Amino acid sequence: MDGSNAGQTPRQTDPSAAATSPAGEAPGLQPVARAQPRPAAPVGEPVTSGRRKPAFRWILAGAKGLATLAIALVAIVMALVTWSTYVTAPWTRDGTMRVQVASVAPQVSGQITELRVGDNQYVHKGDVLYVIDPFDFQVALRTGQALQQESAANLQVKQAESERRQRLTSLATTPEEQQSFAGSAVGAKAAFDAAQQQVAQAEINLHRTQVLSPVNGYVTNLLMRVGDYAHQGEANISVIDTDSYWIDGYFEETKMARVCVGDRVEAKLMGYAEPILGHVATVTRGIGVSNAAAGAQGLPNVDPVYTWVRLAQRVPVRIAIDSVPPGIPLVSGMTATVAVEDPAGSDGGSWLGRTVAEVETRLSDVLNGPSARPGCIPAVAAGRATTEFLPVDTEEPPPSPEQINPGLTPGLKASPTNIDGHQAP
């Protein structure tokens, strides 16, 4: 053994590697790479053949493409339906609760001596709201009654004298005297009629010292107090008419094709989930136009500025209230979201059918534009509004002079007597 290799461990060689080494290479100098064994397929997993893999990939790619196309179509339909809902669907958030308010003013002037209501108190039609000091009116009534009695007595005497003169012969009277007494009787009759009218006015004024409520409703914003002076014709108390509530929906003109008189309406007040049900009563036939204002020399004043983006006008639509859910107070001025229901979609049927019909309607509005139903808004109103009457004071039948002064002229029909007590012929 060579000395240079002393102390070194002899290199081990693989006999199989030496057998398979290429020629000219010393065995054991370079390892030979061996083929790695293919991993076995997991247990239970089917082995896919090489010919089936391309078909499976084509099917998967086609399914992905169809799913993408379906999602795109659904997105497009949803976008169109949403656009139609916001542009042409008959609904609006611009709704307002409205009511009639009776502004009560006294018909006579005087100091308020009694206040019988409080703020926000409910009153019935005909209830006394407050009382004006009646003393002056009682005095006027008694004075008028006294004058009426005096004029009645004068009328009775004048009529008796005139009738007696009319029955006398020409030997006892003259035509001029008969005419004079007849004229006096007519004048007395006129004075009596005037006195009767004064009494009637005094009675009505005394009755008007009690100011009554003209409607059923709530007293609102009550500021008067006992001792205030009420002036004739000046309103000093307001009563909300609870029988006159309605809703004004301000619909954009792009949505008016779907608004028809008589259609069912759902209105939701802000802060309440349950809707108020009603129907379209009337549609306003005119709104203000700024370009219609007259300018110099009476010519139309047209605004020269015209923007590219046109804002749709809003048309007031009056909605009559049919039913109110319990627990929802009606307050004038509250805002509401108003939606007009399509009669074709509220005729029943399955939920799916109504949904499909609604989508078809929305798509038709987008593609073809909204189409109005014939006879939707009648040109002439079918009926008139119910006439309302306010109870007023009526004059009682005035008494006759004989009822006022009974027995003042006894024997009016009897013939005059002579000096000896015998009746004249």
Side-chain angles (χ1 to χ4, degrees), residues 202-213:
E203 289 178 345
I204 291 179
N205 288 341
L206 179 61
H207 181 70
R208 289 173 176 172
T209 57
Q210 294 187 348
V211 181
L212 310 179
S213 173

Side-chain angles (χ1 to χ4, degrees), residues 193-230:
D193 292 340
Q196 281 188 321
Q197 297 303 316
Q198 291 178 358
V199 170
Q201 184 65 57
E203 289 178 345
I204 291 179
N205 288 341
L206 179 61
H207 181 70
R208 289 173 176 172
T209 57
Q210 294 187 348
V211 181
L212 310 179
S213 173
V215 295
N216 300 321
Y218 292 94
V219 177
T220 183
N221 195 28
L222 181 63
L223 300 177
M224 69 164 53
R225 291 293 181 266
V226 173
D228 291 349
Y229 193 87

Side-chain angles (χ1 to χ4, degrees), residues 12-37:
Q12 301 293 330
T13 59
D14 190 356
S16 61
T20 58
S21 298
E25 291 184 359
L29 296 179
Q30 185 175 0
V32 179
R34 294 180 296 178
Q36 298 295 328

